[in-house]
């Protein structure tokens, strides 16, 4: 099966066009935001954002994954309703927890404004509800709707963030802008639903809950562990260093993985829907997976090499002179983000082939590995750059392993292409540094 002979690239292109526009808006705004807000303000926002992301990963107990794979349209509607209900309950519980422990949480994460913590449950509810409804649109191949939503979210958020410094003081404008974007996103995507959310019964919801309980029991812990592992640098940097250092790390991430992640997410959503339909046709699935890997590697390899070599110059050029440390973080972490990018689009294999137990075990290993790397880096190395270096090395090794396991499930291994990709990347990076420093 040739990707160019199917509507795969067309659908992915529709999603990517929205993602590209949304990312272009956000990326363009970084030129101004880096000069309007300090690293500390970016750090505060990143702490709240990552804390929210950890809860969002399990806010629907992963039932949102069943929206796409469920064969019956009526049952898929019930899955959507159930997921939204779970989102609301978990968000409400989070409000109670924060009311009880806000001072302890704020103290641990070095947040001077304790009230910032109260935005977490609101962000969790908005984001998880939006992604649940996007899952429904993905099921029905309504990629234009999803694409439009990405643009609306990004543009509304950016407009406020740019305006905030001229409107008020005393509150984090980056956080307020993010929340505003999520509110508009949920309102926009909810208008497109073809069924009523509250027309259901307890019996129907209970049936769906039991049918897909393995998602709650296995995929939810795996997702929580995975997001904890990938968010670990933010929490470690905040606790062991400062919110200023966290701000530098946050913008290094935004300049590197966010553009890559947009591409991976667009391709991954379409790949998930397609592979779900042909999962029993091993020749087709393996062929599509290999073609997608080739495409993703070709798209990203040159930008990755440029960031490895010239990241320390690119960050202050885009964001301003105060962001030199962010440039160093880019050089350290970009190859790890490259490995994340290459694995993200294929991670649905564990759901499609019912390997949730493997997902849980892998994510536990990933969490232990990255936690140990960061802890060792800080306690032995003594600074953030060394800690991130250890984190990147461990993360790359584990991501390469799981990527090859995905392709084992698809029916044709990726070992030869993995070796080739490593060699090509190594040679290009060597050439890049030779050009930068001069071959001596």
């Amino acid at each position: 099966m040739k990707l160019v002979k199917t509507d795969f690239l067309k659908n992915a292109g529709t999603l990517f066009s929205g993602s590209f526009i949304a990312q272009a808006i956000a990326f363009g705004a970084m030129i101004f935001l880096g000069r309007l807000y300090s690293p500390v303000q970016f750090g505060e926002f990143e702490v709240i954002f990552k804390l929210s992301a950890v809860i969002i990963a399990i806010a629907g107990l992963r039932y949102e994954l069943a929206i796409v794979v469920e064969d019956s349209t009526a049952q898929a509607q019930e899955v959507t309703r159930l997921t939204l209900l779970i989102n609301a309950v978990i968000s409400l519980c989070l409000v109670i927890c924060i009311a009880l422990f806000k001072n302890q949480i704020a103290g641990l994460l070095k947040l001077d404004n304790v009230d910032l913590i109260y935005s977490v449950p609101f962000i969790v509810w908005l984001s998880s509800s939006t992604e649940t409804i996007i899952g429904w649109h993905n099921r029905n191949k309504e990629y234009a709707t999803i694409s439009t939503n990405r643009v609306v979210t990004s543009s509304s958020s950016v407009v406020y963030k740019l305006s905030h410094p001229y409107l008020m003081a005393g509150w984090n404008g980056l956080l307020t802008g993010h929340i505003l974007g999520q509110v508009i996103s949920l309102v926009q995507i909810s208008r497109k639903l073809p069924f009523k959310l509250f027309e259901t019964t307890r019996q129907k919801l209970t049936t769906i809950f039991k049918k897909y309980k393995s998602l709650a029991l296995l995929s939810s812990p795996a997702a929580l562990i995975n997001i904890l592992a990938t968010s670990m640098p933010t929490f470690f940097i905040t606790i062991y260093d400062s919110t200023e250092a966290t701000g530098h790390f946050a913008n290094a991430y935004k300049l590197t993985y966010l553009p890559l992640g947009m591409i991976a997410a667009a391709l991954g959503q379409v790949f998930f829907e397609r592979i779900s339909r042909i999962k029993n046709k091993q020749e087709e699935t393996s062929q599509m997976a290999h073609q997608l890997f080739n495409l993703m590697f070709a798209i990203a390899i040159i930008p990755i090499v440029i960031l490895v070599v010239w990241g320390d110059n690119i960050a202050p050029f885009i964001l301003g002179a105060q962001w030199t440390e962010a440039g160093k973080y880019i050089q350290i972490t970009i190859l790890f983000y490259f490995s994340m990018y290459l694995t993200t689009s294929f991670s649905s294999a564990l759901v499609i082939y019912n390997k949730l137990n493997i997902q849980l075990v892998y994510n536990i290993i990933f969490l232990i590995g990255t936690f140990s790397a960061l802890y060792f880096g800080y306690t032995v190395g003594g600074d953030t750059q060394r800690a991130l270096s250890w984190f990147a090395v461990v993360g790359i090794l584990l991501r390469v392993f799981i990527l090859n396991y995905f392709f084992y499930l698809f029916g044709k291994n990726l070992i030869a292409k993995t070796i080739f990709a490593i060699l090509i990347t190594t040679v290009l990076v060597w050439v890049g540094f030779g050009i930068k420093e001069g071959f001596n």
Side-chain angles (χ1 to χ4, degrees), residues 215-235:
L215 290 173
L217 295 176
L218 294 175
S219 186
S220 286
L224 177 61
I225 292 168
N226 182 58
I227 190 65
L228 278 173
T230 54
S231 300
M232 200 62 67
T234 295
F235 299 130

Side-chain angles (χ1 to χ4, degrees), residues 173-367:
L174 297 168
L175 181 58
T176 307
H178 178 74
I179 293 173
L180 177 63
Q182 290 299 315
V183 170
I184 294 174
S185 176
L186 180 57
V187 171
Q188 191 271 341
I189 202 73
S190 300
R191 294 188 300 106
K192 303 290 184 178
L193 278 177
F195 60 93
K196 295 182 179 179
L197 289 175
F198 301 104
E199 288 188 356
T200 186
T201 65
R202 179 182 296 181
Q203 183 179 2
K204 290 179 181 180
L205 295 178
T206 301
T207 299
I208 291 296
F209 186 87
K210 292 179 179 178
K211 181 177 181 179
Y212 291 104
K213 66 180 181 180
S214 62
L215 290 173
L217 295 176
L218 294 175
S219 186
S220 286
L224 177 61
I225 292 168
N226 182 58
I227 190 65
L228 278 173
T230 54
S231 300
M232 200 62 67
T234 295
F235 299 130
F236 261 89
I237 293 170
T238 303
I239 294 169
Y240 280 90
D241 199 325
S242 64
T243 51
E244 180 179 359
T246 303
H248 284 290
F249 175 77
N251 276 350
Y253 176 85
K254 290 181 175 70
L255 291 177
T256 53
Y257 184 68
L258 278 190
L260 294 172
M262 285 285 190
I263 299 171
L267 293 171
Q269 281 184 315
V270 181
F271 184 74
F272 183 22
E273 183 276 328
R274 183 59 53 83
I275 294 297
S276 295
R277 307 305 172 202
I278 62 171
K279 60 185 178 182
N280 296 321
K281 301 176 182 178
Q282 194 170 73
E283 184 176 349
E284 289 186 29
T285 58
S286 62
Q287 188 177 24
M288 179 175 286
H290 274 265
Q291 290 173 358
L292 181 56
F293 176 83
N294 295 343
L295 175 65
M296 293 180 70
F297 184 82
I299 288 172
I301 182 60
I302 298 303
I304 291 298
V305 171
I306 291 172
L307 288 168
V308 171
V309 178
W310 288 282
D312 56 337
N313 302 119
I314 291 173
F317 175 76
I318 294 175
L319 301 174
Q322 64 177 329
W323 295 99
T324 53
E325 189 70 10
K328 296 175 183 177
Y329 294 170
I330 286 175
Q331 292 179 299
I332 294 169
T333 58
I334 186 59
L335 290 178
F336 168 66
Y337 292 140
F338 187 32
S339 68
M340 278 183 63
Y341 156 80
L342 291 173
T343 55
T344 297
S345 292
F346 304 104
S347 60
S348 56
L350 298 173
V351 176
I352 294 168
Y353 293 103
N354 196 28
K355 298 295 182 179
L356 299 181
N357 55 333
I358 300 297
Q359 182 184 48
L360 179 59
V361 171
Y362 169 77
N363 285 344
I364 290 173
I365 294 171
F366 190 79
L367 176 62

Side-chain angles (χ1 to χ4, degrees), residues 95-170:
V95 171
I96 298 171
C97 290
I98 287 176
L100 294 174
F101 303 106
K102 65 175 183 178
N103 291 324
Q104 292 87 337
I105 297 171
L108 178 65
L109 299 176
K110 299 180 181 177
L111 293 173
D112 293 331
N113 188 346
V114 177
D115 291 336
L116 291 176
I117 292 291
Y118 280 113
S119 62
V120 172
F122 195 41
I123 294 172
V124 168
W125 178 73
L126 288 169
S127 299
S128 56
S129 297
T130 300
E131 290 304 314
T132 297
I133 297 173
I134 284 175
W136 170 263
H137 291 297
N138 186 33
R139 170 190 173 84
N140 292 285
K141 302 181 181 180
E142 296 169 355
Y143 301 116
T145 299
I146 300 173
S147 182
T148 301
N149 183 260
R150 302 297 189 202
V151 176
V152 169
T153 303
S154 179
S155 56
S156 57
S157 177
V158 163
V159 166
Y160 182 85
K161 289 176 183 178
L162 291 172
S163 304
H164 178 87
Y166 307 102
L167 298 175
M168 64 178 71

